Coordinates of all heavy atoms in Angstrom, one line a residue:
A9 N -19.7 -17.8 5.0 CA -19.5 -16.3 5.3 C -19.8 -16.1 6.8 O -19.4 -15.0 7.3 CB -20.5 -15.5 4.4
A10 N -20.5 -17.1 7.3 CA -20.7 -17.1 8.9 C -19.5 -17.4 9.6 O -19.0 -16.6 10.5 CB -21.8 -18.0 9.2
S69 N -10.0 -8.9 19.2 CA -10.7 -10.0 19.5 C -11.5 -10.4 18.2 O -12.4 -11.5 18.2 CB -11.7 -10.0 20.7 OG -12.5 -8.8 20.4
G70 N -11.4 -9.7 17.2 CA -12.1 -10.0 16.0 C -12.5 -8.7 15.2 O -12.2 -7.6 15.6
G71 N -13.4 -9.0 14.2 CA -13.8 -7.9 13.3 C -14.7 -7.0 14.2 O -14.5 -5.7 13.9
T72 N -15.5 -7.4 15.0 CA -16.5 -6.4 15.8 C -15.5 -5.4 16.6 O -15.9 -4.3 16.5 CB -17.4 -7.2 16.8 OG1 -18.1 -8.2 16.0 CG2 -18.3 -6.3 17.4
E73 N -14.6 -5.9 17.3 CA -13.8 -5.0 18.1 C -13.0 -4.0 17.2 O -12.8 -2.9 17.5 CB -12.8 -5.8 18.9 CG -12.1 -4.9 19.9 CD -10.9 -5.6 20.7 OE1 -11.0 -6.8 20.9 OE2 -9.8 -5.0 20.9
D75 N -13.9 -2.9 14.3 CA -14.9 -1.9 13.8 C -15.1 -0.9 14.9 O -15.2 0.4 14.7 CB -16.2 -2.6 13.4 CG -16.2 -3.3 12.0 OD1 -15.3 -2.9 11.2 OD2 -16.8 -4.2 11.8
H98 N -22.5 -4.1 8.2 CA -22.7 -5.0 9.2 C -23.1 -4.3 10.6 O -22.8 -3.1 10.7 CB -21.4 -5.7 9.5 CG -21.4 -6.9 10.4 ND1 -21.3 -6.7 11.8 CD2 -21.5 -8.3 10.1 CE1 -21.4 -8.0 12.3 NE2 -21.5 -8.9 11.2
A100 N -21.9 -4.5 13.3 CA -20.7 -4.0 14.1 C -20.4 -2.5 13.9 O -20.0 -1.8 14.8 CB -19.5 -4.9 13.8
M147 N -18.1 -1.1 3.9 CA -17.4 -2.4 3.8 C -17.0 -2.7 2.6 O -17.5 -2.3 1.5 CB -18.4 -3.4 4.5 CG -19.5 -3.9 3.6 SD -20.9 -4.3 4.5 CE -20.4 -5.5 5.6
V149 N -16.4 -6.0 1.2 CA -17.2 -7.0 0.6 C -18.4 -7.1 1.6 O -18.3 -7.4 2.8 CB -16.5 -8.3 0.6 CG1 -17.5 -9.5 0.2 CG2 -15.4 -8.4 -0.5
N151 N -21.2 -8.7 3.6 CA -21.4 -10.2 4.0 C -22.6 -10.9 3.7 O -22.7 -12.0 3.7 CB -21.2 -10.2 5.5 CG -22.1 -9.2 6.3 OD1 -22.3 -8.1 6.0 ND2 -22.8 -9.9 7.2
D176 N -14.5 -1.9 6.7 CA -14.7 -3.3 7.1 C -14.3 -4.3 6.0 O -15.0 -4.4 5.1 CB -16.1 -3.4 7.7 CG -16.4 -5.0 8.2 OD1 -15.7 -5.8 7.7 OD2 -17.2 -5.0 9.2
V178 N -13.7 -7.5 6.6 CA -13.7 -8.9 7.3 C -14.0 -10.1 6.2 O -13.5 -11.1 6.3 CB -14.9 -8.9 8.3 CG1 -15.2 -10.3 8.8 CG2 -14.4 -7.9 9.5
Q179 N -14.8 -9.7 5.2 CA -15.2 -10.7 4.3 C -14.2 -10.8 3.1 O -14.4 -11.5 2.1 CB -16.6 -10.6 3.6 CG -17.6 -10.8 4.8 CD -17.9 -12.2 5.2 OE1 -17.4 -13.2 4.5 NE2 -18.5 -12.5 6.3
S199 N -10.9 -10.4 10.4 CA -11.2 -11.4 11.3 C -10.8 -12.8 10.9 O -11.1 -13.2 9.8 CB -12.8 -11.4 11.7 OG -13.1 -12.5 12.5
H201 N -11.6 -16.0 11.8 CA -12.5 -17.1 11.4 C -13.1 -17.1 10.2 O -13.7 -18.0 9.7 CB -13.4 -17.3 12.7 CG -14.5 -16.2 12.8 ND1 -15.8 -16.5 12.3 CD2 -14.6 -15.1 13.3 CE1 -16.6 -15.5 12.4 NE2 -15.9 -14.6 13.1
K202 N -12.9 -16.0 9.4 CA -13.5 -15.9 8.1 C -12.6 -16.5 7.0 O -12.9 -16.8 5.8 CB -13.8 -14.5 7.6 CG -14.8 -13.7 8.7 CD -16.2 -14.3 8.8 CE -17.1 -13.4 9.7 NZ -18.4 -13.9 9.8
A329 N -25.0 -14.1 9.0 CA -24.6 -15.1 9.9 C -24.8 -14.7 11.2 O -25.3 -15.4 12.1 CB -23.1 -15.3 9.6
C330 N -24.4 -13.5 11.5 CA -24.4 -12.9 12.8 C -25.9 -12.8 13.4 O -26.1 -12.5 14.6 CB -23.6 -11.8 13.0 SG -22.2 -11.7 12.1
Ligands
PLP401 C1 -18.5 -7.8 7.4 C2 -18.4 -8.3 8.8 N1 -17.9 -7.4 9.7 C3 -17.8 -7.7 11.0 C4 -18.1 -9.0 11.4 C5 -17.8 -9.4 12.8 O1 -16.5 -10.1 13.0 P1 -16.3 -10.9 14.3 O2 -17.2 -12.2 14.2 O3 -14.8 -11.4 14.1 O4 -16.5 -10.0 15.4 C6 -18.4 -10.0 10.5 C7 -19.0 -11.4 10.9 O5 -19.9 -11.9 10.5 C8 -18.8 -9.6 9.2 O6 -19.1 -10.5 8.2

Side-chain angles (χ1 to χ4, degrees):
S69 61
T72 301
E73 185 189 325
D75 283 334
H98 191 273
M147 77 213 299
V149 169
N151 55 306
D176 176 328
V178 166
Q179 299 283 345
S199 179
H201 73 98
K202 306 292 185 181
C330 319

